[in-house]
Amino acid sequence: MPVITDIEPITQTGDGRDSEGLYPIREVARLTGINPVTLRAWERRYGLIEPKRTESGHRLYSVTDIGTIRRVMDWLERGVTVSKVAQLLASNTACDDPQPVANEYAEWQNRISSALAAFNEPELERLYGQVFSSYPAEVVFQGVFLPLWQQLLKTRDVFGRTSEWLLLDGFLRGRVQHRLQLQAMDARQCVVVVAMPELCHELELLVAGLLLTHSDRVVRVLAIGQPLDELSLVCDRLEPQAVVLFANHALNTAQHRRLERLAQALNCSVSLAGEAANVAQEALAGSSIGCLGSEARLMNQRLDADLKATQGS
């Protein structure tokens, strides 16, 4: 889709501002990464910003407007819907207050828990669809479903919880696998995601793979139980640009050494993701192994940087 700039000739300084310190919509789009169509929608539908207008009707944005746009972006990235952001800004709610988001997620989790307790899979399917239509994938899983899945996993000693956990686990694994199958297999980059043995569950591995998918890369998630000593054979066939090892439990000394030997044996970049990566950064600081972390945005940013560095070398 072509970018609509909506700009008229105005006297500008060298940094894109006009002489009164106002920015045209093209420059605001460049500074914030939000396209002009979305900026107009935020103004017309939700009243999130109110740019000034020239005599011919073109929009000009102040530094305050740009700050508001970035606040909106922060809320959206944390999973708040656009309509709720408008309410928060109108009531002058502090942007660093996570309570509205936490309450919103808890409401979904309560409804999902009720469906699980009744073993009502059609209702579970309906709620899953509603959550996915309201939030990006990282919020759907890391904000709503996985915390509930983890809570049920930790309380499996309570009568009935194991059955509820199994229902949710099987349901989510099926939905994530389906979404992974919808990737464009002709993407120019390939990333292989594989579990460190016995350090994560299958659902956690699948979700990590899904959250690393991107329009210009295909993610191949290898099955739980994939032998690491056969990974070089798999990579010879798939020719990935990167291999991401996933673990949600800390690596011991032997596992660290195994990971380092694996990185030396593979002809591509090797990274560690998951909770294990959050605690292994210092131990792996001097190695060629990257630590992607466990949060979706951070994982993707670091993987993107790693892939760019590999291409440039």
Side-chain angles (χ1 to χ4, degrees), residues 84-214:
K84 183 65 69 67
V85 172
Q87 297 172 20
L88 294 171
L89 293 177
S91 62
N92 295 318
T93 303
C95 268
D96 56 356
D97 180 10
Q99 197 60 39
V101 179
N103 288 343
E104 199 168 296
Y105 296 170
E107 290 174 8
W108 284 111
Q109 289 165 352
N110 288 336
R111 294 165 67 184
I112 295 165
S113 294
S114 297
L116 290 171
F119 293 91
N120 188 343
E121 191 160 351
E123 175 65 6
L124 184 59
E125 181 74 68
R126 189 182 70 82
L127 291 170
Y128 174 82
Q130 288 184 339
V131 174
F132 234 108
S133 67
S134 302
Y135 305 104
E138 59 265 26
V139 173
V140 171
F141 292 104
Q142 294 190 323
V144 179
F145 278 100
L146 279 182
L148 178 59
W149 177 90
Q150 291 163 349
Q151 179 184 347
L152 291 171
L153 179 62
K154 292 176 181 177
T155 58
R156 284 189 297 174
D157 291 341
V158 178
F159 184 76
R161 288 293 174 84
T162 296
S163 298
E164 293 177 18
W165 179 82
L166 287 171
L167 173 59
L168 182 60
D169 181 70
F171 175 86
L172 291 176
R173 280 189 289 112
R175 300 314 179 275
V176 176
Q177 286 171 333
H178 175 69
R179 290 186 176 273
L180 285 168
Q181 291 168 358
L182 297 177
Q183 296 180 87
M185 291 301 174
D186 59 348
R188 62 187 181 89
Q189 293 179 334
C190 174
V191 173
V192 168
V193 177
V194 60
M196 288 293 292
E198 301 180 357
L199 294 182
C200 70
H201 287 81
E202 183 182 16
L203 177 61
E204 296 171 316
L205 176 69
L206 291 170
V207 168
L210 179 64
L211 296 181
L212 287 173
T213 59
H214 196 277

Side-chain angles (χ1 to χ4, degrees), residues 298-309:
L298 187 61
M299 287 195 300
N300 278 283
Q301 289 171 1
R302 290 177 174 176
L303 180 58
D304 285 341
D306 186 48
L307 289 170
K308 288 179 181 177

